[in-house]
Amino acid sequence: MRFFTIPFLLLTFSMVAQKSNKYDTFFEKGNGNQSASYQETINYYTLLAKDFPTIKMQEMGLTDSGKPLHMIIFNPEKRFDFTKINTSKAVILINNGIHAGEPDGIDATMLLFRDLALGKIKAPKNTVLVTVPIYNIGGALNRNSTTRVNQDGPEEYGFRGNARNYDLNRDFIKSDARNTKSLVEIFHVTNADVFMDNHVSNGADYQYKLTYIMTQHNKLGPDLGNYLKNEMMPVLVKDLYKKNMDATPYVNVWNGTPDQGFAQFFESPRYATGYTSLFNTIGFVVETHMLKKYADRVKATYEFMVSTIDFTDKNFLAIKAMRLKNEQHYLPKKSYPIQWEIDSSKVTTIPFLGYEGSYKKSEVTTGDRLFYDRKKPFKKDIPYYKEYKSVKEVIIPNAYIIPQGFWNVIDLLKSNHITYTQLQNDTIIEVESYRIAEYKTATNAYEGHYPHRNTKVAFSKIKVAFAKGDYVFPTAQKGVKYLLETLEPEALDSFFNWNFFDTILQQKEGYSEYVFEDLGAQLLRENPKLKAELEQKKSSDSDFAKNPNTQLNWVYMHSIYYEKAHLQYPVYRWIK
């Protein structure tokens, strides 16, 4: 039997019968289809922080817009020192407006903090709430009514790109934006146990007002991932159902219909919850449906947050214990997955509330177009692929050594609170080394980069002369997964694939062919083995055999004159 709560709109969202009061939000004062602007949002939290000692508001670094990023904290005990909070309570960090045209969470979280402060909902005893009221400030200031062309409200909203036109939900691992660097600091200062990122989805049409992405459990880790999959998420879904709010996993369907089934969205570390998972934090992305009314979407976001708070507050000790236990899977000498794919052998089924989809002739183009018939709703079981398997693993080294000249990478590691030491003397150390063997590069710009993909490396052990001041990053630390995902070149979102080491891909020295011809001939005379390898390659590779310039370059690259820095990956694995 389904349980029904008193209609939410008659409580928090009453627009007519309720008299306006000091703590009404901009959303409540309107017609249910209006969202607060950036300044209205900041003014509202300023008011709450002034009037309620349980709420604190502080600036936490700049954004690309030039305006500061704010952190709002709710703690009924009126204490705001996270070094003490983390010892006795869980922390939930709520991020809003990463895509400023998706403002549901902005308005819902203002209502949530107000209702907590006023006692309209019971304050958690074991959980402190933190929110970033609007993350993409530049996008929020770029206010319009047209860019979310398919979205049903609100009347005005922000833009997806930030002040420098970055999609901030693709920036976490590379941190090009000031916004990202400031949010990373908030994340580490709070040491959030649970992270929530509020969004609005597009794609297919279906009956649900709310879908969700939970951190992919295989990637999160055995203990914490299984706890999220088997304990936490089922309770949240059941609790929403009791509130007359069905929810389903994010409908990961594009240019098709969901009744054929779909796979769980895999958030690599460029995404918010993919990034937070690297520090053993449970993550959720709330995805309300853009074709539902705005007031209904705000309500759904609010209720998901309340359900998450309730579960976390009851189970805070278990969550914190699972986070610590999960860390033990990522110790030196153990194996770590750096590439994943769907495990198609482990398909399950989920009940799905959809609309019948079909195709008809387009009135715009000469082709057919997809449409959903809302007069034909259905409920059916569909395939769902939620399991991923590792297809590439590395052994975790004791440390990574990075020459101090690569300060751009070192600074990013520092900003993520990765601990390190520096060599006190010039030192020769035997290390594991990579040379870049293969890679492909995007032909179109993507988020300010031309990323690499399909990277492959050649492995060797060598002795390297390191200088005093070079950096040593041990892997026996909380941020070990961050180190592995960024510094292993073959990982999807590695710093290599994001172009941080592109200087090694270009040769700085070369040769004049007419001069090197004589030296090349001498090299082959003095090295019969090299000459035999050249002849073998000519006989096995017809294109190579037809190209004298390529042959000469091959001899050069196999000589002592070929520069060692070319394709030499300048991050070294130290196995002690």
Side-chain angles (χ1 to χ4, degrees):
M1 178 178 180
R2 182 178 295 204
F3 298 93
F4 293 87
T5 58
I6 298 174
F8 192 88
L9 291 177
L10 295 181
L11 295 175
T12 306
F13 295 108
S14 177
M15 306 296 175
V16 179
Q18 179 180 333
K19 292 183 179 180
S20 176
N21 66 65
K22 182 179 182 181
Y23 301 113
D24 283 351
T25 67
F26 181 84
F27 168 77
E28 291 172 299
K29 293 175 182 176
N31 57 13
N33 196 33
Q34 294 177 330
S35 178
S37 68
Y38 167 74
Q39 197 57 57
E40 287 161 343
T41 302
I42 298 304
N43 290 346
Y44 188 79
Y45 280 109
T46 301
L47 172 66
L48 292 183
K50 175 178 175 291
D51 288 1
F52 297 97
T54 55
I55 293 178
K56 182 178 180 180
M57 179 178 185
Q58 64 186 93
E59 296 180 0
M60 292 292 291
L62 286 175
T63 66
D64 285 348
S65 69
K67 295 184 180 296
L69 198 65
H70 286 91
M71 174 173 74
I72 318 296
I73 310 164
F74 173 80
N75 185 357
E77 294 182 0
K78 307 169 190 175
R79 294 189 297 113
F80 305 101
D81 181 350
F82 284 96
T83 59
K84 296 179 180 178
I85 288 171
N86 285 133
T87 63
S88 59
K89 292 192 175 191
V91 176
I92 297 177
L93 174 58
I94 302 167
N95 190 40
N96 292 311
I98 191 170
H99 297 148
E102 306 170 20
D104 305 22
I106 296 172
D107 290 303
T109 308
M110 292 164 68
L111 294 166
L112 175 67
F113 272 62
R114 186 272 314 278
D115 289 351
L116 287 166
L118 289 175
K120 288 188 175 183
I121 57 176
K122 186 178 179 181
K125 294 181 179 179
N126 307 304
T127 306
V128 171
L129 300 183
V130 182
T131 189
V132 176
I134 298 181
Y135 177 39
N136 181 1
I137 297 173
L141 294 172
N142 188 4
R143 202 162 167 85
N144 70 95
S145 301
T146 57
T147 51
R148 297 285 291 179
V149 60
N150 297 321
Q151 188 166 286
D152 188 356
E155 294 173 4
E156 291 185 351
Y157 41 75
F159 181 63
R160 188 181 187 91
N162 87 328
R164 293 169 61 205
N165 210 30
Y166 279 109
D167 184 333
L168 294 177
N169 202 31
R170 308 294 186 272
D171 192 50
F172 277 85
I173 206 70
K174 59 189 179 72
S175 293
D176 288 330
R178 282 179 174 173
N179 304 58
T180 311
K181 291 180 172 66
S182 296
L183 183 59
V184 162
E185 183 63 17
I186 291 173
F187 174 70
H188 287 293
V189 164
T190 61
N191 187 22
D193 299 283
V194 178
F195 175 81
M196 297 176 61
D197 202 22
N198 289 320
H199 287 247
V200 182
S201 71
N202 48 15
D205 195 9
Y206 39 81
Q207 298 178 46
Y208 301 96
K209 295 182 178 71
L210 181 146
T211 67
Y212 58 86
I213 297 171
M214 70 173 194
T215 302
Q216 207 289 316
H217 58 277
N218 304 112
K219 179 169 62 67
L220 182 57
D223 295 302
L224 197 59
N226 286 330
Y227 180 81
L228 171 60
K229 180 183 72 167
N230 300 324
E231 303 292 336
M232 188 172 187
M233 198 69 243
V235 172
L236 296 185
V237 172
K238 184 177 180 180
D239 195 46
L240 290 169
Y241 183 79
K242 290 179 180 178
K243 301 174 184 179
N244 196 29
M245 191 174 298
D246 292 297
T248 197
Y250 174 70
V251 183
N252 192 19
V253 175
W254 303 90
N255 301 318
T257 56
D259 53 307
Q260 302 302 311
F262 52 87
Q264 180 175 356
F265 184 79
F266 186 87
E267 1 82 296
S268 70
R270 72 187 62 175
Y271 300 101
T273 53
Y275 167 81
T276 57
S277 74
L278 301 184
F279 299 89
N280 301 301
T281 295
I282 291 172
F284 298 103
V285 176
V286 177
E287 293 274 4
T288 55
H289 195 301
M290 68 190 307
L291 298 179
K292 309 305 181 185
K293 296 295 183 183
Y294 186 60
D296 292 339
R297 300 192 334 246
V298 173
K299 169 190 174 182
T301 304
Y302 180 102
E303 292 296 355
F304 190 97
M305 291 190 292
V306 170
S307 294
T308 303
I309 293 167
D310 289 344
F311 181 92
T312 302
D313 205 48
K314 293 174 184 175
N315 300 278
F316 77 106
L317 289 176
I319 292 173
K320 295 182 85 67
M322 284 294 173
R323 291 186 71 199
L324 291 174
K325 188 177 180 182
N326 210 60
E327 291 180 13
Q328 300 307 306
H329 293 280
Y330 308 107
L331 299 174
K333 309 293 175 63
K334 290 191 174 184
S335 182
Y336 181 81
I338 58 171
Q339 293 178 10
W340 301 82
E341 66 179 27
I342 293 170
D343 189 346
S344 58
S345 69
K346 295 181 179 178
V347 61
T348 186
T349 57
I350 57 172
F352 188 78
L353 301 172
Y355 297 115
E356 187 174 303
S358 60
Y359 289 84
K360 64 181 180 180
K361 184 172 177 54
S362 169
E363 298 180 22
V364 180
T365 72
T366 57
D368 294 331
R369 51 74 51 101
L370 173 65
F371 78 102
Y372 292 90
D373 191 342
R374 290 197 169 186
K375 295 179 180 179
K376 297 180 179 179
F378 67 75
K379 179 179 182 180
K380 64 172 70 171
D381 289 339
I382 64 171
Y384 181 52
Y385 298 87
K386 63 181 178 180
E387 300 291 334
Y388 281 74
K389 61 182 179 181
S390 168
V391 294
K392 177 75 176 182
E393 297 185 359
V394 297
I395 300 300
I396 301 174
N398 294 89
Y400 289 96
I401 306 179
I402 307 178
Q404 57 201 288
F406 290 90
W407 53 265
N408 56 333
V409 168
I410 292 166
D411 285 351
L412 270 180
L413 298 178
K414 290 179 180 179
S415 70
N416 279 273
H417 291 218
I418 303 298
T419 60
Y420 63 90
T421 59
Q422 289 180 266
L423 296 177
Q424 298 302 304
N425 299 288
D426 294 350
T427 312
I428 295 176
I429 304 174
E430 185 177 62
V431 291
E432 294 180 342
S433 168
Y434 291 140
R435 290 189 69 82
I436 305 301
E438 296 180 29
Y439 65 95
K440 296 183 183 296
T441 304
T443 56
N444 295 315
Y446 177 76
E447 295 305 320
H449 294 253
Y450 287 81
H452 305 308
R453 66 185 187 280
N454 299 341
T455 300
K456 295 181 180 179
V457 299
F459 172 90
S460 63
K461 287 187 177 181
I462 60 174
K463 291 184 177 180
V464 176
F466 293 101
K468 176 183 178 181
D470 286 345
Y471 285 77
V472 179
F473 292 91
T475 57
Q477 62 173 296
K478 180 181 177 182
V480 55
K481 290 198 285 184
Y482 177 88
L483 282 168
L484 290 156
E485 294 286 351
T486 57
L487 299 183
E488 288 293 331
E490 293 175 306
L492 176 64
D493 278 336
S494 69
F495 285 153
F496 174 81
N497 282 337
W498 279 109
N499 309 121
F500 283 78
F501 295 103
D502 277 9
T503 53
I504 71 168
L505 304 181
Q506 178 188 7
Q507 283 184 246
K508 302 300 188 292
E509 303 281 7
Y511 59 89
S512 295
E513 293 178 4
Y514 78 97
V515 178
F516 189 69
E517 277 279 356
D518 295 332
L519 184 55
Q522 179 182 339
L523 289 170
L524 294 177
R525 286 194 298 271
E526 294 174 350
N527 192 336
K529 182 181 178 181
L530 183 64
K531 181 174 177 60
E533 290 177 0
L534 175 63
E535 295 303 322
Q536 171 62 32
K537 185 163 182 62
K538 285 192 288 186
S539 63
S540 62
D541 187 337
S542 58
D543 291 336
F544 182 80
K546 296 174 185 177
N547 193 323
N549 289 336
T550 301
Q551 296 166 30
L552 187 63
N553 189 61
W554 185 93
V555 174
Y556 169 73
M557 292 183 67
H558 286 76
S559 75
I560 62 172
Y561 303 102
Y562 171 55
E563 63 188 76
K564 294 180 180 179
H566 184 222
L567 301 178
Q568 173 62 54
Y569 184 59
V571 177
Y572 300 91
R573 295 163 47 89
W574 193 1
I575 304 290
K576 300 179 183 178

